[in-house]
């Protein structure tokens, strides 16, 4: 990373699922020289496996930041973890999913552990239940969203309603976002996947003061990825602890 950041010149990334001994040949075939690295996850930049991407004349600071953003995330026990976004003006639509090898009760308990969310959801500094209204919890949350040079404080009150044991709906009551709504769904196992469940988040988010034109969608996706992965990691951790205690 340091060597590439110091170069200040042309940086080439060959996107591969792992270290590929044929990377040099692939770069040469595309008319490019000196492939520097293969990386496994470029979600924040929306790149796909097999793409060759060139950043020309990147500054030292920008090169270093790009490389850090491209670093692989910590391994998850969950499978098929993905976050997708689509921007419509200043509104970003989000879809996230993960296949979990954990019981329904544990997944639901983690999703609704509002008072402890700040312990495992990145960027969330505090989460406090203000009141409960039947199946709904009124939760005050504070934190910060950040990406590259941008940071945005988050201070919201949301209503989280357990419609069924398989569906939780979230909506903004007040705060410094213009729009925030969504739902968690826990899907029953598909055929041939006994014991596994699929967790999905679908929602929309719109900041009160708009999004940066270039990095706006990346900003939202990077933060949603961090938060969703944090939730999935905690489910993994709790399930591993449960199994350890039960001797499974």
């Amino acid at each position: 990373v340091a060597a590439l950041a110091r170069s200040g010149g042309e940086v080439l990334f060959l996107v591969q699922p792992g270290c590929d001994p044929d990377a040099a040949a692939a770069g040469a075939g595309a008319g490019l020289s000196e492939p520097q690295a293969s990386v496994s996850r470029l979600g924040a930049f929306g790149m796909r496996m097999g793409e060759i991407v060139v950043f020309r004349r990147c500054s030292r600071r920008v090169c270093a930041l790009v490389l850090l953003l491209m670093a692989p995330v910590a391994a998850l026990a969950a499978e098929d973890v993905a976050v997708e976004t689509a921007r419509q003006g200043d509104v970003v639509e989000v879809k996230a999913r993960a296949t979990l090898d954990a019981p329904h009760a544990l997944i639901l308990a983690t999703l609704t552990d509002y008072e402890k969310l700040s312990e495992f959801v990145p960027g969330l500094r505090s989460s406090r239940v203000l009141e409960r209204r039947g199946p709904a919890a009124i939760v005050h949350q504070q934190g910060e969203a950040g990406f590259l040079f941008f940071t945005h404080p988050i201070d919201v009150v949301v209503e989280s309603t357990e419609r069924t044991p398989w569906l939780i709906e979230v909506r903004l009551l007040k705060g410094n976002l213009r729009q925030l709504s969504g739902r968690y769904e826990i899907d029953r196992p598909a055929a041939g996947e006994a014991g596994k469940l699929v967790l999905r988040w679908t929602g929309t988010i719109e900041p009160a003061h708009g999004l940066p034109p270039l990095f706006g969608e990346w900003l939202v996706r990077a933060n949603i990825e961090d938060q969703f992965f944090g939730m999935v990691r905690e489910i993994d951790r709790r399930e591993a602890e449960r199994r350890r205690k039960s001797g499974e």
Side-chain angles (χ1 to χ4, degrees):
V1 172
L4 288 174
R6 286 196 299 269
S7 70
E10 181 177 276
V11 182
L12 179 148
F13 296 95
L14 178 61
V15 184
Q16 298 285 350
C19 183
D20 185 355
D22 296 324
L32 301 169
S33 61
E34 298 181 3
Q36 302 292 339
S38 61
V39 287
S40 60
R41 176 178 170 268
L42 299 178
F45 285 82
M47 302 173 188
R48 297 183 298 273
M49 297 301 177
E51 288 184 337
I52 295 175
V53 184
V54 180
F55 295 89
R56 299 180 183 276
R57 296 294 179 189
C58 59
S59 69
R60 296 175 185 175
R61 179 174 294 179
V62 170
C63 278
L65 285 167
V66 167
L67 288 166
L68 287 172
L69 283 166
M70 292 178 175
V73 295
L76 295 173
E79 303 169 6
D80 190 31
V81 183
V83 176
E84 302 172 1
T85 58
R87 180 171 179 172
Q88 301 292 336
D90 285 330
V91 177
V92 178
E93 299 173 351
V94 181
K95 293 182 179 180
R97 71 178 185 275
T99 301
L100 303 166
D101 189 5
H104 172 271
L106 186 145
I107 297 172
L108 183 62
T110 307
L111 295 177
T112 57
D113 196 358
Y114 306 116
E115 295 282 355
K116 294 185 178 179
L117 290 180
S118 60
E119 296 179 9
F120 53 84
V121 174
L124 193 59
R125 187 171 65 254
S126 67
S127 179
R128 184 167 59 93
V129 176
L130 300 180
E131 63 175 300
R132 292 188 179 271
R133 302 171 182 170
I138 311 303
V139 187
H140 181 206
Q141 297 182 330
Q142 294 177 303
E144 186 174 79
F147 180 73
L148 292 179
F149 307 107
F150 302 100
T151 58
H152 181 73
I154 302 297
D155 189 347
V156 297
V157 175
V158 299
E159 180 184 67
S160 181
T161 306
E162 297 176 46
R163 295 297 181 189
T164 74
W166 303 86
L167 174 65
I168 300 172
E169 292 184 344
V170 179
R171 69 183 182 96
L172 178 70
L173 296 182
K174 63 179 181 179
N176 63 347
L177 294 176
R178 186 170 296 162
Q179 182 180 167
L180 173 64
S181 63
R183 65 183 183 272
Y184 276 112
E185 295 175 274
I186 307 172
D187 289 347
R188 291 176 172 84
E193 291 187 291
K196 294 185 179 181
L197 293 168
V198 179
L199 175 65
R200 303 182 191 277
W201 164 264
T202 306
T204 59
I205 184 170
E206 180 183 4
H209 304 293
L211 289 168
L214 180 59
F215 295 113
E217 185 180 345
W218 295 345
L219 166 64
V220 173
R221 183 165 63 215
N223 282 275
I224 293 295
E225 279 184 344
D226 281 347
Q227 293 173 1
F228 188 71
F229 286 11
M231 182 71 74
V232 170
R233 278 192 295 267
E234 179 65 9
I235 293 171
D236 284 345
R237 187 196 69 77
R238 292 186 182 194
E239 173 59 5
E241 180 68 9
R242 184 192 70 81
R243 294 184 181 188
R244 185 187 64 80
K245 290 180 177 179
S246 65
E248 293 183 23

